[in-house]
């Protein structure tokens, strides 16, 4: 297997993987910081990954790696530092962007991100386990931290309060539980150790505290916990891929086979990663039987139940209490905004599709549209991200009667100000508003503007599910709806929907990453 790397934008690198038995190349891409480290890959031995921009691009003064290697075209690469001749695979092109385009032409296949994430996980693992020895320790930060220096020149300060808090001795930490077994009541967070020395030939640091407590910290463990220099975690810090109306035509919508996901861990990983990054993907070939969303849920860990049951059957019902169970158009929404914690992700399995016209689904990337609104009308964005709307759902279903009532901003933001959950339900939105009357008109203008955007033909992707399809998507992000249809004596419509939570999805992704690492 051989790797090469191209710079796709100032912050994103593209990774190419070429295996000797398979002719084809597979691509992946991700943030630079993951791919610019000097690392040990078990499959390749020690490697260096370097990037260098072409002259003139970004005003870079760095030498071209390609020139250094005698190949003018190469601007980035990964090579085996043990090999006599570097194992480098040139990417042709006269500019960075052109090179990225060429790589796309060379391999029109949909990118396989799992390769990248497996790679990142491997890099992180290699980075922290590479067995560097500690050469010296010294007080730092006004004597409130310990500076640790490694044989490769890395230096990191570790605050004493943190070292005491994370003591690994048997009184403080039980390895079978992988957890701390004391509380703050028993430690002094102002303590400074009376002795601090490298131990075991630089493989540990030993600390003695003024109260006589003794702790020993392995070098690799310290390397893993490097505060702001720690590796990012792909299950937290992933770059989202935004989309619009041409989701399908552009090839952005990935398609997976149901049986592959059920039987193959790589397919499972790819599917979940795709739901995370693009927010939507299609699982095909699930047949026309019930219980298939439960099979997918079992592969993750378990399904998220709701008051509509472990899964829900969307069919036209006599005396329906929710618009879903009628043949009417179901306006654009995110599911169960009436809950304070709506389900994180959703799977819609089409068991039977309306034979006549209608019954198609619409999907819009709510995060992309929210960011468009932020750019175009920051005041409207501010109103929608701060004004609480109220939602309710009253009725009766499999578990009996319910009365749900929630409050949410329309666009909920994370700590960095990025959209983290869109809450939309025109059918469940209540008349109750607890805002100053004079703010109301501006709020309605903002709601109308946002609605125009998520209904805009440039943004909505329409797709009529085929029987056996399961559309799976991020319910925090993807605004969806359905066209009206008619039920006749020879045509009805039956969907089975199930939900997943992101904690379970992320847990599965981490387990799979460990599993892939172990097998490499
Ligand atoms: C729903 C829903 C889509 C459909 O029930 O929440 O979005 O196609 N249904 O019926
Ligand atoms: Zn201890
Ligand atoms: Zn829905």
């Amino acid at each position: 297997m051989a790797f090469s790397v191209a710079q796709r934008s100032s912050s994103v690198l593209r990774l190419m993987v070429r295996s000797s038995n398979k002719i084809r190349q597979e691509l992946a891409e991700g943030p630079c910081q993951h791919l610019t480290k000097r690392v040990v890959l078990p499959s390749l031995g020690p490697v260096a990954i370097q990037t260098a921009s072409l002259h003139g691009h970004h005003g870079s003064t760095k030498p071209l790696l390609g020139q250094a290697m005698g190949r003018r075209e190469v601007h980035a690469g990964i090579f085996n530092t043990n090999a006599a001749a570097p194992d480098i695979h040139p990417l042709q092109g006269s500019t960075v962007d052109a090179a990225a385009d060429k790589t796309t032409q060379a391999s029109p296949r949909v990118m396989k991100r799992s390769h990248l994430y497996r790679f990142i996980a491997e890099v992180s693992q290699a980075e922290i386990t590479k067995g560097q020895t500690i050469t010296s320790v010294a007080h730092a930060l006004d004597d409130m931290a310990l500076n640790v220096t490694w044989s490769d020149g890395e230096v990191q300060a570790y605050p004493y309060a943190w070292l005491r808090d994370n003591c690994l001795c048997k009184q403080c930490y039980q390895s079978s539980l992988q957890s701390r077994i004391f509380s703050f009541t028993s430690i002094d967070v102002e303590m400074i150790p009376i002795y601090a020395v490298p131990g075991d030939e630089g493989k540990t640091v030993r600390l003695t505290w003024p109260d006589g407590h003794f702790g020993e910290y392995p070098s690799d463990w310290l390397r893993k916990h490097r505060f702001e220099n720690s590796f990012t975690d792909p299950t937290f810090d992933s770059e989202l891929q935004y989309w619009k109306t041409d989701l399908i035509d552009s090839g952005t919508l990935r398609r997976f086979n149901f049986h592959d996901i059920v039987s193959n861990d790589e397919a499972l990983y790819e599917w979940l990663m795709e739901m995370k990054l693009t927010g939507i993907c299609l699982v095909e070939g699930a047949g026309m039987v019930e219980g298939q969303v439960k099979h997918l849920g079992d592969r993750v860990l378990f399904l998220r139940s709701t008051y509509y049951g472990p899964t829900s059957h969307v069919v036209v019902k006599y005396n329906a209490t929710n618009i879903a169970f009628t043949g009417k158009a179901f306006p654009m929404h995110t599911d169960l905004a009436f809950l304070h914690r709506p389900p994180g992700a959703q799977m819609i399995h089409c068991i039977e599709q309306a034979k006549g016209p209608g019954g198609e689904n619409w999907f819009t990337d709510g995060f992309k549209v929210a960011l468009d609104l932020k750019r175009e009308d920051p005041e409207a964005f501010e109103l929608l991200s701060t004004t609480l709307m109220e939602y309710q759902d009253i009725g009766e279903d499999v578990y009996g009667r319910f009365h749900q009532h929630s409050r949410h901003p329309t666009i909920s933001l994370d700590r960095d100000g990025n959209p983290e959950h869109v809450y939309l339900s025109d059918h469940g939105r209540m008349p109750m508003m607890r805002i100053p009357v004079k703010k109301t008109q501006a709020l309605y203008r903002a709601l109308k503007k946002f609605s125009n955007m998520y209904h805009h033909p440039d943004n909505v992707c329409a797709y009529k599910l085929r029987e056996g399809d399961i559309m799976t998507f991020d319910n925090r992000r993807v605004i969806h709806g359905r066209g009206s249809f008619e039920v006749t004596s020879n045509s009805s419509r039956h969907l089975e929907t199930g939900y997943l939570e992101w904690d379970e999805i992320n847990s599965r992704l981490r387990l799979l990453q460990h599993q892939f690492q172990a097998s490499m």
Side-chain angles (χ1 to χ4, degrees):
M1 193 152 50
F3 296 87
S4 59
V5 182
Q7 191 156 10
R8 182 149 159 67
S9 71
S10 57
S11 65
V12 174
L13 293 181
R14 175 168 288 195
L15 173 74
M16 299 176 68
V17 183
R18 187 184 300 157
S19 56
S20 48
N21 53 348
K22 288 188 224 141
I23 311 294
R24 66 166 187 251
Q25 292 178 327
E26 293 165 339
L27 301 179
E29 59 184 18
C32 287
Q33 69 265 27
H34 295 303
L35 296 173
T36 53
K37 300 279 178 186
R38 204 184 146 78
V39 296
V40 177
L41 298 177
S43 46
L44 290 178
V47 297
I49 306 171
Q50 296 185 354
T51 60
S53 298
L54 288 172
H55 285 306
H57 200 86
H58 307 309
S60 169
T61 54
K62 283 187 195 169
L64 274 178
L65 187 57
Q67 287 179 339
M69 308 308 301
R71 291 189 182 108
R72 293 188 58 81
E73 312 80 19
V74 179
H75 67 274
I78 170 170
F79 54 90
N80 187 330
T81 53
N82 274 352
D87 177 16
I88 191 159
H89 301 275
L91 301 167
Q92 310 289 321
S94 56
T95 70
V96 169
D97 293 337
D101 289 342
K102 285 262 171 74
T103 59
T104 311
Q105 283 164 19
S107 177
R109 290 160 41 82
V110 177
M111 287 184 293
K112 275 199 153 195
R113 288 191 192 80
S114 65
H115 285 279
L116 177 68
Y117 283 92
R118 285 171 61 176
F119 180 73
I120 289 171
E122 188 183 0
V123 166
S124 321
Q125 193 64 19
E127 187 70 15
I128 61 172
T129 55
K130 66 185 186 180
Q132 289 293 327
T133 52
I134 293 162
T135 53
S136 65
V137 295
H139 282 314
L141 301 178
D142 292 334
D143 292 352
M144 291 314 290
L146 186 75
N147 244 7
V148 174
T149 304
W150 278 272
S151 49
D152 64 352
E154 287 272 354
V155 181
Q156 175 67 49
Y158 294 94
Y160 289 129
W162 178 87
L163 285 164
R164 181 63 193 86
D165 179 35
N166 291 289
C167 183
L168 296 168
C169 84
K170 283 199 171 65
Q171 285 167 41
C172 297
Y173 181 86
Q174 188 166 331
S175 54
S176 62
L177 305 174
Q178 298 193 49
S179 73
R180 188 183 287 112
I181 49 173
F182 67 93
S183 69
F184 276 119
T185 49
S186 59
I187 61 164
D188 173 1
V189 297
E190 305 299 334
M191 274 195 304
I192 298 173
I194 50 174
Y195 296 113
V197 286
D200 197 10
E201 296 175 340
K203 292 199 196 82
T204 67
V205 169
R206 291 176 180 155
L207 298 185
T208 307
W209 300 95
D211 60 3
H213 198 84
F214 174 80
E216 185 159 22
Y217 305 82
S219 162
D220 289 345
W221 182 90
L222 288 167
R223 261 322 251 259
K224 180 177 176 181
H225 300 97
R226 284 189 293 169
F227 288 77
E228 61 268 56
N229 300 320
S230 304
F231 275 99
T232 50
D233 180 334
T235 55
F236 285 123
D237 310 301
S238 35
E239 268 186 51
L240 304 186
Q241 179 167 4
Y242 301 109
W243 46 272
K244 42 192 188 167
T245 186
D246 61 355
L247 171 71
I248 295 174
D249 296 341
S250 65
T252 305
L253 184 77
R254 299 255 333 249
R255 293 160 190 264
F256 297 91
N257 178 275
F258 174 82
H259 299 284
D260 285 350
I261 292 176
V262 169
S263 61
N264 178 307
D265 286 345
E266 291 226 12
L268 175 62
Y269 186 95
E270 292 276 340
W271 167 54
L272 296 176
M273 208 40 131
E274 193 60 26
M275 262 214 278
K276 187 178 203 62
L277 301 182
T278 309
I280 186 166
C281 53
L282 183 63
V283 178
E284 298 174 307
M288 295 162 69
V289 290
E290 297 180 11
Q292 302 298 63
V293 292
K294 164 87 165 56
H295 279 302
L296 294 183
D298 289 346
R299 282 292 275 160
V300 176
L301 198 57
F302 51 79
L303 287 175
R304 155 85 190 264
S305 299
T306 74
Y307 54 100
Y308 285 107
T311 65
S312 175
H313 292 274
V314 180
V315 288
V316 174
K317 292 182 190 169
Y318 182 70
N319 269 347
T321 56
N322 190 300
I323 194 167
F325 308 125
T326 71
K328 292 186 200 311
F330 192 161
M332 296 294 273
H333 63 283
T334 54
D335 270 24
L336 302 187
F338 347 99
L339 298 181
H340 280 112
R341 200 169 57 84
Q346 168 161 196
M347 303 178 280
I348 301 182
H349 177 200
C350 178
I351 294 174
E352 186 176 358
Q353 183 56 282
K355 292 182 184 56
E360 77 283 10
N361 286 103
W362 311 305
F363 303 96
T364 296
D365 186 343
F367 287 179
K368 182 245 175 215
V369 174
L371 291 170
D372 288 347
L373 180 70
K374 185 178 182 181
R375 225 178 9 255
E376 286 173 28
D377 191 341
E379 281 162 27
F381 181 82
E382 163 80 12
L383 272 176
L384 296 189
S385 56
T386 53
T387 313
L388 294 185
M389 310 298 288
E390 303 202 14
Y391 301 92
Q392 77 173 10
D393 191 16
I394 297 175
E396 184 164 3
D397 213 284
V398 287
Y399 298 120
R401 295 173 61 209
F402 54 80
H403 182 154
Q404 304 290 2
H405 182 167
S406 67
R407 293 178 183 170
H408 296 289
T410 306
I411 303 169
S412 163
L413 306 180
D414 66 15
R415 276 181 224 95
D416 300 324
N418 294 316
E420 94 179 331
H421 202 136
V422 175
Y423 298 95
L424 272 184
S425 174
D426 283 336
H427 58 288
R429 188 157 42 74
M430 297 168 71
M432 182 61 78
M433 274 196 196
R434 302 170 204 262
I435 59 172
V437 173
K438 62 179 192 308
K439 269 182 120 183
T440 312
Q441 192 58 28
L443 176 67
Y444 270 100
R445 285 192 190 120
L447 284 168
K448 171 77 180 169
K449 188 160 203 166
F450 189 44
S451 171
N452 286 348
M453 292 171 82
Y454 61 75
H455 284 102
H456 195 283
D458 283 353
N459 288 324
V460 183
C461 173
Y463 179 74
K464 186 164 179 173
L465 292 171
R466 296 160 309 158
E467 288 160 355
D469 281 350
I470 307 180
M471 193 62 94
T472 65
F473 53 92
D474 185 342
N475 185 54
R476 304 167 305 185
R477 170 174 174 186
V478 177
I479 306 169
H480 65 282
R482 152 195 96 195
S484 64
F485 60 93
E486 260 190 70
V487 173
T488 64
S489 55
N490 65 359
S491 169
S492 52
R493 187 173 183 272
H494 179 189
L495 307 180
E496 185 175 19
T497 64
Y499 299 113
L500 294 165
E501 286 302 342
W502 283 99
D503 281 330
E504 277 66 61
I505 296 175
N506 287 331
S507 158
R508 177 59 59 206
L509 284 169
R510 290 185 199 104
L511 288 170
L512 288 170
Q513 260 166 10
H514 291 310
Q515 179 184 317
F516 295 148
Q517 270 169 249
S519 67
M520 280 191 90

